Amino acid sequence: MSFAVPLTRKEAVLRRLREEIITGLLKPGALIKDAEIAARLGVSITPVREAITQLAAEGLIDISPNRTRQVTRVTQKSALELIDVMMVLACAGFEWGMENITDEHVAALRVKLGEFAEGLRQGNVTAAAAAGADFSTVVILASGNRELQTHVDLVVTRTLRVLALTAESDVWSVWLNGYRQTLELIERGDRAGAVERYRQIYRDYRQRVETLLFDEDR
């Protein structure tokens, strides 16, 4: 029997605020006020301040010289730079991990792909995003390089926040179709082909973000 470790107040606040920023509930430029958040979440100011400090370190909140805090604003340049960094880190980890992938890893990939598709079907962007990130994590962790995964996780979190996509967004199809085809190549034993198809996801993703999410109407 296993038991989940209860979240500390800081962890609970951190998770809640991070999700609100990623999903766009807290919009870019929104002011972050300790007392208001503490009252809304029913906690003291201390865990709120600790969570804000962590979110600032993750690049999700900007703290100005006069200590004003606000949700980090997004520009096309910053969005594309994040994607470029994520591409370099994730693709390197995916390629390294592919050398050590086992049947157990492949089974885990099937599960995560199913959860990803189901999350999108239900309109649960948070669950879909988590499962999609876990798909990559399965292979990256197979590389044995946990330091790399730590950096990938940080960039992925910031990228999800940049997009704040709805379940209906066309950008999700880039990932869903890419993951499906990558898994098919892995199952056929074409590991080199799987790595290249995985890398193509990021190329397509970058192009779609550039043309759809920062068009003249936004």
Side-chain angles (χ1 to χ4, degrees), residues 100-107 191:
N100 302 319
I101 200 167
T102 64
D103 290 343
E104 288 73 18
H105 290 119
V106 175
R191 297 189 176 188

Side-chain angles (χ1 to χ4, degrees), residues 79-138:
L80 296 179
E81 285 176 347
L82 273 176
I83 294 171
D84 289 341
V85 171
M86 187 167 69
M87 185 188 319
V88 171
L89 294 175
C91 290
F94 201 88
E95 184 173 6
W96 297 343
M98 195 58 61
E99 298 176 2
N100 302 319
I101 200 167
T102 64
D103 290 343
E104 288 73 18
H105 290 119
V106 175
L109 290 174
R110 294 191 192 104
V111 170
K112 292 305 176 183
L113 179 59
E115 292 175 353
F116 184 29
E118 181 62 16
L120 292 178
R121 188 189 69 78
Q122 294 181 358
N124 189 336
V125 174
T126 300
D134 286 346
F135 183 96
S136 294
T137 296
V138 169

Side-chain angles (χ1 to χ4, degrees), residues 187-206:
E187 291 174 329
R188 294 207 301 263
D190 185 358
R191 297 189 176 188
V195 170
E196 179 55 32
R197 182 62 186 89
Y198 182 80
R199 186 173 286 111
Q200 186 62 44
I201 294 173
Y202 286 89
R203 299 190 190 108
D204 295 341
Y205 175 49
R206 190 186 195 283

Side-chain angles (χ1 to χ4, degrees), residues 36-217:
E36 289 183 0
I37 292 175
R40 176 163 64 87
L41 301 184
V43 298
S44 67
I45 286 181
T46 298
V48 172
R49 288 176 175 168
E50 292 174 342
I52 289 172
T53 298
Q54 177 62 37
L55 291 170
E58 294 178 5
L60 300 180
I61 289 178
D62 283 334
I63 301 179
S64 67
N66 65 5
R67 305 303 295 170
T68 298
R69 280 78 58 83
Q70 60 181 358
V71 177
T72 304
R73 295 183 182 277
V74 182
T75 65
Q76 183 184 56
K77 183 175 183 293
S78 64
L80 296 179
E81 285 176 347
L82 273 176
I83 294 171
D84 289 341
V85 171
M86 187 167 69
M87 185 188 319
V88 171
L89 294 175
C91 290
F94 201 88
E95 184 173 6
W96 297 343
M98 195 58 61
E99 298 176 2
N100 302 319
I101 200 167
T102 64
D103 290 343
E104 288 73 18
H105 290 119
V106 175
L109 290 174
R110 294 191 192 104
V111 170
K112 292 305 176 183
L113 179 59
E115 292 175 353
F116 184 29
E118 181 62 16
L120 292 178
R121 188 189 69 78
Q122 294 181 358
N124 189 336
V125 174
T126 300
D134 286 346
F135 183 96
S136 294
T137 296
V138 169
V139 180
I140 294 173
L141 285 181
S143 72
N145 193 326
R146 294 187 178 276
E147 183 65 24
L148 174 62
Q149 183 59 51
T150 298
H151 289 285
V152 170
D153 289 343
L154 178 59
V155 177
V156 166
T157 297
R158 294 180 64 189
T159 304
L160 289 173
R161 176 260 172 213
V162 164
L163 300 178
L165 297 173
T166 64
E168 294 77 21
S169 172
D170 185 52
V171 180
W172 287 111
S173 65
V174 171
W175 293 97
L176 187 59
N177 294 335
Y179 281 162
R180 281 174 174 160
Q181 292 169 16
T182 297
L183 180 56
E184 289 171 1
L185 289 165
I186 293 173
E187 291 174 329
R188 294 207 301 263
D190 185 358
R191 297 189 176 188
V195 170
E196 179 55 32
R197 182 62 186 89
Y198 182 80
R199 186 173 286 111
Q200 186 62 44
I201 294 173
Y202 286 89
R203 299 190 190 108
D204 295 341
Y205 175 49
R206 190 186 195 283
Q207 182 179 24
R208 199 69 63 87
V209 168
E210 186 172 17
T211 57
L212 293 184
L213 299 185
F214 289 93
D215 58 27
E216 294 180 352
D217 295 328

Side-chain angles (χ1 to χ4, degrees), residues 17-49:
L17 292 180
R18 185 188 287 124
E19 181 174 333
E20 289 183 359
I21 292 172
I22 289 173
T23 59
L25 187 60
L26 283 174
K27 300 186 180 302
L31 290 177
I32 303 296
K33 298 181 180 180
D34 302 352
E36 289 183 0
I37 292 175
R40 176 163 64 87
L41 301 184
V43 298
S44 67
I45 286 181
T46 298
V48 172
R49 288 176 175 168

